[in-house]
Amino acid sequence: RHSWSQDTWVPARDEAYLGVLVDDLITKGVTEPYRMFTSRAEHRLVLRSDNADRRLTPLAIELGVAEPERIERLAAKEAAIADLLSRLGQVRENERTGLDLLRRPEATLATLAEKFKVPLVGLADVVRQVEIEVKYAGYIELSRRQIERFRRMEDRPIPAGLDFKAVPNLRNEAKDKFSRFTPRSLGQAGRISGITSTDLAVLLIHLERRKQ
């Protein structure tokens, strides 16, 4: 997913939007103006600005750069989210829980909280997280499954110094582009403009043969 040494960290495309920007600049170049829009991220349902602290603080903790106050804020926020989800799951109307009701397009957490006397004072950020996670749960889960499939390809490394021009049956265009951009993984190679699924299959076969 990600890699770091003592003083470096390389964010993956599904971890941070910075990872999308850097990876695109490396694999696609700058022949066209690059617009810094989150719509460029294939995992934009997960890479949201509202959940940046929940995505990146655990990584900051692993790297040892998270301040105690930041860790405490995240712990309090996660506890508040879990508590609110639990409260919504306990209230019922016509055999439907508050979570079921919130999934309706017209429903808002504010109106449901008022109806069922669920306090929301001081929980604006938490309310946003809960509304998004409940209303778009199916789409978010689908995105997470896609991320797992993506990682299996993304994590297949390409050895440093591989002579792409010596790969049998690889198209000349693919040889030139791989030699120019020197992708570090199959996932990165597949995002180079003009590279086809056949090019990746040929490269994968070559990598498998090298292992034998």
Side-chain angles (χ1 to χ4, degrees):
R1 294 176 53 197
H2 47 245
S3 62
W4 60 73
S5 63
Q6 185 174 0
D7 56 356
T8 63
W9 169 58
V10 181
R13 292 179 71 91
D14 60 278
E15 286 181 320
Y17 186 52
L18 176 62
V20 179
L21 295 178
V22 173
D23 192 51
D24 277 1
L25 290 172
I26 291 172
T27 59
K28 300 183 189 315
V30 290
T31 54
E32 296 180 5
Y34 188 88
R35 299 188 177 185
M36 299 173 65
F37 293 154
T38 53
S39 60
R40 297 297 294 261
E42 61 269 34
H43 307 306
R44 54 189 173 275
L45 275 178
V46 176
L47 298 182
R48 307 190 311 271
S49 60
D50 62 271
N51 69 356
D53 55 341
R54 302 179 72 191
R55 284 186 288 109
L56 299 178
T57 299
L59 289 173
I61 294 172
E62 281 190 66
L63 289 167
V65 296
E67 297 179 350
E69 294 80 5
R70 180 179 176 183
I71 298 173
E72 291 173 5
R73 283 198 305 270
L74 179 63
K77 182 176 180 178
E78 293 291 0
I81 290 173
D83 180 66
L84 185 52
L85 287 170
S86 176
R87 287 172 180 268
L88 288 172
Q90 292 172 9
V91 297
R92 293 183 175 276
E93 180 182 74
N94 298 327
E95 299 185 356
R96 291 181 178 272
T97 68
L99 295 174
D100 296 326
L101 297 173
L102 184 56
R103 293 188 182 98
R104 294 176 176 176
E106 72 280 3
T108 67
L109 187 48
T111 56
L112 290 177
E114 182 178 359
K115 180 177 182 179
F116 295 111
K117 309 302 181 186
V118 177
L120 297 181
V121 178
L123 298 178
D125 193 22
V126 170
V127 167
R128 178 173 173 78
Q129 289 287 295
V130 170
E131 280 196 323
I132 291 174
E133 290 198 4
V134 173
K135 284 185 175 294
Y136 301 100
Y139 295 104
I140 292 174
E141 177 57 29
L142 177 61
S143 181
R144 294 191 188 282
R145 290 200 297 268
Q146 291 173 339
I147 286 172
E148 289 304 317
R149 289 196 296 269
F150 175 84
R151 282 177 183 165
R152 286 194 288 271
M153 182 176 72
E154 179 68 24
D155 291 341
R156 181 59 189 269
I158 296 175
L162 178 68
D163 184 3
F164 294 104
K165 294 187 181 297
V167 177
N169 304 316
L170 189 62
R171 293 184 308 127
N172 288 332
E173 180 184 359
K175 289 180 180 180
D176 291 339
K177 289 191 173 181
F178 287 157
S179 297
R180 176 185 174 189
F181 292 109
T182 59
R184 298 190 303 172
S185 69
L186 279 180
Q188 196 175 71
R191 290 189 293 277
I192 297 174
S193 176
I195 296 302
T196 68
S197 57
T198 301
D199 296 328
L200 294 178
V202 170
L203 180 57
L204 178 58
I205 290 172
H206 180 69
L207 294 176
E208 290 292 334
R209 286 175 177 171
R210 280 172 53 95
K211 293 171 56 178
Q212 297 176 359

